[in-house]
């Protein structure tokens, strides 16, 4: 199951709350682009205790395992998602979400040592993938409150809103010049950014 | 009192979509015109700081920082609000008001007003919409009908540049349109499916203030073809959509007759008890709080529906202790809006081999089919449905991480169809705004109290719309159809109307057939405040048409020495 196709449709009236956006009509479904930050808006303002640079770098490594470099496009590390992840968490997420990420990463570091005998960054790509697949399975079982759902959401958001994600994985045309409503999809053509 | 220091032929209060039109028409006819705008100055091209930014060039990549949300819990609900557009919306703290009932009052305080961030929908009213309230027993007749405004619609469409097809539909008349935008293939599918299943469900291109193919008049304004960027609300460096800032105000400026004063908060309209006319406007400087009075022969009130009403309520004199022209006690009453609560969507299988190019700034419309000229539903009024087809991003993959997963996320996903309603609401005496007895805004002007809510008719309309939308999406072959009533407060539609309504009878209305205050004929109110009923079409172009019509009438009346 992909994570971005199940978003609700949006109208110009609800766009910025729904995780995808219509601006004046066309609908771009993207968990990453032009969306309001997640979190309960009644929650207290973001605390100063967001995530550290080290946390953001670890999240970039996790993001790169979820979204690695392929022949089609560079991955999350190459896209440099760490600063974007830090911005999103620290400026946009509410305090409970920040805490969930922080605590989750702390537990994850311990888990890496426990299960693989070392830091995540010292594991091979296949070890990383296996480990994260296990964490993901636990997260699916545990439900919405598990930190790894946020890590996945951040990975997708940060990557697909980065210049690399928007232009090399997706195709973003700054000035399309015209609208053509119905065209054949070319073989292998990526989605529009 | 400070002495008047400046005189003009005309004063226009507000520089938004209707104020811009008043300025253009009056200046073109040779009147020295002062436009007062409470917000800051915004100039075309120069003051669009985010217009050319790609998503990744925005500080938070388009996400909205919590600090912005926490400081502005109200305005940040508005459609289109984000870090790329926040500078064109009022800050919550700038103009507090009191919600006796929940009401989201969305405002844009700058030269250009909300014309910078509007939805750009420009459908004409059908002839039915002017007469339905009285004929079908849910309101008062307008003092004018479709024939009175038809030529003014044309006048406005030509200058604004409105794209749309000639559909020949009774519920949404044709106009003088530029070529429409294309349907995408999902929309063509929807159109055809509804055509097969129903006789009365027409999916057509909406009418949008978007230059699909500019004409000479648009090039003369310095505007060019819409580039299909769909970033309109940031201000368009191509002039691809219409705003006061890109069109009417610079046009008025070219006549040499226009003076724009930003940062000028109108306190009240001055009434000359001897002459029995309005004589000018009292203005507070937004920065220095200094008070200045400006004089003019005619005054156009275009401050947006509720702010125009507020100014009139605050314009008291011995003759008008309850607000200017308010002999009947209806000023601030009969406030209505559009019902946007319901929406629906579903996934559409197939068409995987079809795609589109560009970012479409327009939407399709499913034209009103309820209570059109006759009562045929268990509620009164009609509804327009905006609809469209979208293509999601990302397809199912065998894994939830890794290269296959990533590449799958970058592929075009399934298509879907969405619909949302824009329903007529019934103007009622009880739905009103008034001045607060004691609380003031930062300029010492009484705060507005909003007391506007939904009624049983709105609930019945929502039920019907949801039933019909579910049925139509199913008829189009959608799966996983979901529909919802978001219970949003009135006001978030940003289509608030009324408060100073037009009517034939001065005992039940504020304005005559030319938008003049019955009791003070040199004051014209031509924004949303004037609306006698809401119809089901997007209202802005009617404000523009009524403004142009009233301005030309004002000029004629001045020439006849009647004002």
């Amino acid at each position: 199951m992909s994570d971005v196709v199940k978003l609700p449709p949006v109208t110009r009236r609800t766009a910025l709350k729904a995780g995808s956006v219509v601006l004046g009509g066309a609908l771009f479904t993207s968990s990453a682009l032009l969306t309001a930050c997640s979190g309960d808006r009644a929650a207290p303002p973001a605390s100063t205790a967001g995530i550290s640079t080290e946390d953001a770098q670890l999240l970039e490594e996790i993001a790169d395992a979820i979204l690695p470099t392929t022949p089609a496009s560079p991955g999350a590390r190459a896209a440099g998602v760490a600063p974007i992840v830090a911005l999103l968490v620290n400026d946009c997420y509410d305090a409970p979400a920040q805490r969930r990420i922080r605590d989750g990463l702390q537990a994850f570091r311990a888990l890496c040592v426990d299960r693989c005998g070392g830091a995540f960054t010292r594991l091979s790509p296949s070890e990383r993938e296996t480990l994260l697949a296990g964490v993901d399975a636990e997260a699916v079982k545990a439900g919405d409150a598990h930190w790894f759902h946020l890590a996945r959401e951040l990975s997708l958001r940060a990557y697909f809103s980065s210049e690399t994600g928007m232009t090399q994985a997706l195709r973003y045309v700054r000035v399309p010049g015209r609208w053509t409503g119905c065209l054949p999809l070319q073989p292998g053509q990526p989605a529009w950014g | 009192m400070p002495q008047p220091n400046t005189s003009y032929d005309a004063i226009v209060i507000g520089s938004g979509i209707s104020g811009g039109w008043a300025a253009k028409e009056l200046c073109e006819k040779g009147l020295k015109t002062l436009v007062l705008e409470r917000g800051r100055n915004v100039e075309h091209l120069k003051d669009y700081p985010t217009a050319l930014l790609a998503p990744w060039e925005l500080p938070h990549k388009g996400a909205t920082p919590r600090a912005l949300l926490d400081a502005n819990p109200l305005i940040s609900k508005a459609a289109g609000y984000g870090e790329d557009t926040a500078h064109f919306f009022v800050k919550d703290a700038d103009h507090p008001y009191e919600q006796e009932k929940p009401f989201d009052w969305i405002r844009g305080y700058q030269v250009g007003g909300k014309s910078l961030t509007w939805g750009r929908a420009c459908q004409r009213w059908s002839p039915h919409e002017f007469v339905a309230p009285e004929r079908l027993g849910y309101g008062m007749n307008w003092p004018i009908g479709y024939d009175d405004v038809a030529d003014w619609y044309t006048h406005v469409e030509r200058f604004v540049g409105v794209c749309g097809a000639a559909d020949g539909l009774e519920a949404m008349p044709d106009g003088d349109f530029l070529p429409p935008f294309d349907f995408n293939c999902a929309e063509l599918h929807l159109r055809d499916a509804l055509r097969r299943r129903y006789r009365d469900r027409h999916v057509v291109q909406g009418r949008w203030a978007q230059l699909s193919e500019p004409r000479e008049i648009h090039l003369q304004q310095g505007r060019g073809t819409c580039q299909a960027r769909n970033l309109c609300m940031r201000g368009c460096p191509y002039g691809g959509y219409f705003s006061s800032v890109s069109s009417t105000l610079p046009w008025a400026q070219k006549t040499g007759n226009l003076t724009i004063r930003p940062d000028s908060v109108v306190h009240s309209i001055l009434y000359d008890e001897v002459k029995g006319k309005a004589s000018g406007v009292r203005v507070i400087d937004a920065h220095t709080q200094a008070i200045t009075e400006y004089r003019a022969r005619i005054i156009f009130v275009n401050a947006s529906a509720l702010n125009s009403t507020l100014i009139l309520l605050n314009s008291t004199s011995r003759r008008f202790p309850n607000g200017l022209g308010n002999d009947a006690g209806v000023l601030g009453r009969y406030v209505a809006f559009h019902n946007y609560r319901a929406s629906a969507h579903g996934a559409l299988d197939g068409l995987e081999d079809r795609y589109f190019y560009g970012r479409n700034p327009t939407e399709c419309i499913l034209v009103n089919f309820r209570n059109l000229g006759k009562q045929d539903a268990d509620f009164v009024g009609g509804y327009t449905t905006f609809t469209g087809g979208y293509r999601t991003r990302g397809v199912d993959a065998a894994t939830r991480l890794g290269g296959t997963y990533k590449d799958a996320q970058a592929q075009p996903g399934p298509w879907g169809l969405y619909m949302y309603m824009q329903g007529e609401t019934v103007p009622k005496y009880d739905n009103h705004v008034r001045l607060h007895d004691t609380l003031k805004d930062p300029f010492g002007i009484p705060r507005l109290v909003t007391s506007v809510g939904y009624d049983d008719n709105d609930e019945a309309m929502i039920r019907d719309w949801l039933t019909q939308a579910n049925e139509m999406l199913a008829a189009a072959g959608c799966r996983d159809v979901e529909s919802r009533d978001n219970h949003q407060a009135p006001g978030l539609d940003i289509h608030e109307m009324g408060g100073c309504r037009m009517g034939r009878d001065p005992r039940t209305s504020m304005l005559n057939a030319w938008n003049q205050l019955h009791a003070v004929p040199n004051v014209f109110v031509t924004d949303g405040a004037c609306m006698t009923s809401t119809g089901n079409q997007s209202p802005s172009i009617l404000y523009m048409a009524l403004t142009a019509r009233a301005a030309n009438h004002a000029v004629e009346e001045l020439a006849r020495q009647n004002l």
Side-chain angles (χ1 to χ4, degrees):
Chain A
M1 220 180 76
S2 66
D3 293 277
V4 288
V5 295
K6 306 303 175 193
L7 294 163
V10 244
T11 69
R12 77 176 66 233
R13 303 291 153 185
T14 57
L16 296 174
K17 265 62 71 183
S20 53
V21 64
V22 163
L23 289 175
L27 188 138
F28 304 97
T29 305
S30 159
S31 61
L33 171 62
L34 289 170
T35 60
C37 293
S38 67
D40 177 5
R41 297 177 63 174
S47 68
T48 48
I51 58 168
S52 65
T53 312
E54 291 72 30
D55 286 344
Q57 268 154 6
L58 178 53
L59 280 167
E60 181 176 287
E61 293 300 320
I62 292 171
D64 196 63
I66 298 172
L67 307 168
T69 295
T70 60
S73 57
R77 189 189 303 122
V81 300
I84 308 178
V85 164
L87 262 179
L88 289 173
V89 174
N90 293 338
D91 287 5
C92 299
Y93 281 30
D94 61 18
Q98 292 174 340
R99 200 173 314 118
R100 200 169 358 136
I101 293 266
R102 256 192 338 261
D103 295 352
L105 288 174
Q106 201 178 337
F108 180 69
R109 287 187 176 98
L111 185 80
C112 290
V113 176
D114 260 17
R115 288 200 191 158
C116 306
F120 186 68
T121 46
R122 296 174 61 181
L123 307 182
S124 70
S126 67
E127 283 174 318
R128 292 179 185 203
E129 208 173 313
T130 309
L131 180 68
L132 286 180
V135 174
D136 180 56
E138 285 163 26
V140 169
K141 209 179 296 171
D144 288 348
H146 197 281
W147 73 276
F148 192 72
H149 297 304
L150 284 175
R152 174 186 296 279
E153 175 185 290
L154 279 166
S155 303
L156 290 165
R157 274 191 172 204
Y159 179 72
F160 283 110
S161 66
S162 70
E163 181 171 6
T164 301
M166 286 289 277
T167 59
Q168 296 186 55
L170 309 175
R171 295 293 178 270
Y172 183 82
V173 183
R174 273 184 191 261
V175 184
R178 65 181 186 284
W179 160 255
T180 308
C182 195
L183 287 168
L185 180 73
Q186 301 304 317
Q189 183 181 351
W192 296 117
Chain B
M1 292 303 295
Q3 291 304 302
N5 56 4
T6 316
S7 288
Y8 293 85
D9 295 326
I11 290 172
V12 178
I13 305 172
S15 63
I17 212 155
S18 65
W21 266 93
K24 170 190 172 291
E25 298 290 317
L26 296 170
C27 287
E28 279 184 321
K29 300 285 176 175
L31 270 60
K32 294 288 179 194
T33 302
L34 172 67
V35 171
L36 296 167
E37 165 54 51
R38 67 177 293 151
R40 67 191 169 91
N41 195 25
V42 169
E43 284 179 42
H44 187 48
L45 306 179
K46 180 170 157 279
D47 295 316
Y48 302 153
T50 58
L52 293 169
L53 298 182
W56 61 88
E57 292 165 345
L58 292 163
H60 295 84
K61 321 298 165 195
T64 311
R66 286 199 64 80
L68 209 53
L69 298 178
D70 291 335
N72 301 282
L74 177 102
I75 198 70
S76 61
K77 292 185 211 169
Y81 181 91
E83 67 173 349
D84 58 332
T85 57
H87 47 284
F88 290 149
F89 291 87
V90 72
K91 291 184 177 60
D92 284 9
D94 285 355
H95 194 196
Y97 65 100
E98 301 304 309
Q99 302 177 51
E100 191 166 84
K101 295 177 183 170
F103 187 92
D104 294 328
W105 189 17
I106 307 303
R107 290 146 291 160
Y109 291 166
Q110 62 267 327
V111 168
K114 298 197 298 293
S115 78
L116 285 159
T117 56
W118 69 310
R120 309 174 306 284
C122 282
Q123 313 92 273
R124 291 184 177 207
W125 276 37
S126 70
H128 296 297
E129 287 168 84
F130 290 94
V131 298
E134 187 168 278
R135 268 194 56 201
L136 303 179
Y138 63 95
M140 187 180 76
N141 240 3
W142 284 69
I144 54 172
Y146 182 78
D147 292 342
D148 295 302
V149 290
D151 290 347
W152 293 104
Y153 271 130
T154 306
H155 177 72
V156 168
E157 285 160 353
R158 286 181 178 154
F159 190 80
V160 164
V162 177
C163 62
D167 298 305
L169 296 170
E170 191 185 356
M172 200 171 87
D174 296 332
D176 188 350
F177 298 144
L178 308 176
F181 277 64
D182 280 354
F183 292 99
N184 69 32
C185 55
E187 291 159 354
L188 287 170
H189 169 85
L190 173 69
R191 182 194 68 181
D192 295 344
L194 297 190
R195 223 181 241 172
R196 282 192 297 273
R197 172 77 168 68
Y198 303 91
R199 286 178 53 236
D200 63 348
R201 311 286 165 97
H202 306 285
V203 174
V204 301
Q205 290 294 342
R207 291 77 162 91
W208 302 96
Q210 220 75 34
L211 294 183
S212 54
E213 260 181 50
R215 296 177 184 167
E216 179 58 29
I217 185 69
H218 309 122
L219 300 177
Q220 285 172 15
Q221 296 169 36
R223 300 170 55 206
T225 308
C226 168
Q227 300 294 307
R229 304 184 319 138
N230 195 23
L231 300 175
C232 310
M233 290 185 187
R234 301 177 183 181
C236 182
Y238 303 91
Y241 77 100
F242 171 88
S243 73
S244 301
V245 173
S246 68
S247 176
T248 42
L249 291 174
W251 191 265
Q253 203 112 45
K254 274 196 276 190
T255 65
N257 292 324
L258 178 68
T259 303
I260 303 182
R261 269 196 61 106
D263 305 309
S264 300
V265 180
V266 171
H267 173 277
S268 54
I269 297 166
L270 305 167
Y271 182 73
D272 184 326
E273 311 260 355
V274 178
K275 291 184 181 156
K277 291 183 199 176
S279 57
V281 166
R282 180 170 300 147
V283 170
I284 302 172
D285 185 290
H287 298 304
T288 67
Q289 306 267 340
I291 292 173
T292 310
E293 291 179 358
Y294 296 92
R295 306 279 161 176
R297 296 157 75 194
I298 57 170
I299 294 161
F300 268 70
V301 190
N302 300 90
S304 80
L306 299 190
N307 266 323
S308 288
T309 301
L310 194 166
I311 289 167
L312 291 167
L313 284 166
N314 201 41
S315 303
T316 54
S317 56
R318 215 170 313 146
R319 166 70 181 83
F320 295 108
N322 301 314
L324 192 66
N326 190 17
D327 287 335
V330 294
L331 180 60
R333 299 284 169 176
Y334 302 99
V335 172
F337 53 94
H338 273 149
N339 180 349
Y340 264 93
R341 274 172 38 187
S343 63
H345 64 97
L348 185 66
D349 291 327
L351 304 170
E352 285 90 355
D353 60 344
R354 312 300 293 174
Y355 213 17
F356 49 76
Y357 174 81
R359 296 187 289 276
N360 185 358
T362 75
E363 286 179 294
C364 304
I365 283 180
L366 168 52
V367 180
N368 178 41
F369 52 87
R370 282 291 186 245
N371 299 329
L372 187 64
K374 61 181 193 307
Q375 187 65 40
D376 58 14
D378 66 348
F379 56 86
V380 298
Y383 51 69
T384 285
T385 300
F386 290 93
T387 183
Y390 56 93
R391 188 152 195 187
T392 57
R393 174 172 64 73
V395 296
D396 289 351
T399 60
R400 287 169 52 84
L401 49 94
T404 313
Y405 173 77
K406 188 200 81 177
D407 288 347
Q409 299 307 306
Q411 286 178 40
W415 289 88
L417 293 168
Y418 70 90
M419 298 181 169
Y420 63 96
M421 73 182 292
Q422 175 175 286
E424 182 169 0
T425 69
V426 178
K428 292 178 293 288
Y429 182 80
D430 287 344
N431 271 350
H432 74 280
V433 297
R434 63 177 190 275
L435 301 184
H436 196 277
D437 291 336
T438 52
L439 290 175
K440 308 269 204 252
D441 73 12
F443 299 102
I445 297 170
R447 290 192 190 182
L448 196 70
V449 178
T450 61
S451 187
V452 178
Y454 292 101
D455 63 16
D456 291 344
N457 192 66
D458 300 322
E459 304 294 338
M461 182 184 283
I462 289 167
R463 281 194 296 276
D464 179 64
W465 189 92
L466 286 168
T467 304
Q468 298 306 316
N470 277 291
E471 188 187 289
M472 288 187 284
L473 289 175
C478 284
R479 64 175 162 81
D480 302 332
V481 173
E482 287 176 30
S483 58
R484 69 191 281 251
D485 171 0
N486 67 9
H487 294 281
Q488 71 181 35
L492 198 54
D493 42 280
I494 328 183
H495 283 189
E496 64 273 16
M497 290 174 251
C500 185
R501 68 178 181 174
M502 297 171 76
R504 291 206 185 91
D505 187 347
R507 290 168 304 179
T508 57
S509 63
M510 290 289 297
L511 305 171
N512 70 12
W514 299 99
N515 295 74
Q516 296 165 280
L517 285 175
H518 288 298
V520 192
N522 71 330
V523 175
F524 296 77
V525 183
T526 67
D527 62 11
C530 78
M531 299 289 276
T532 310
S533 64
T534 75
N536 62 81
Q537 312 295 351
S538 309
S540 299
I541 189 162
L542 184 52
Y543 307 163
M544 293 191 263
L546 290 174
T547 301
R549 178 176 176 271
N552 282 270
H553 180 72
V555 170
E556 287 167 14
E557 287 290 279
L558 282 171
R560 292 187 203 113
Q561 310 280 322
N562 284 343
L563 290 176

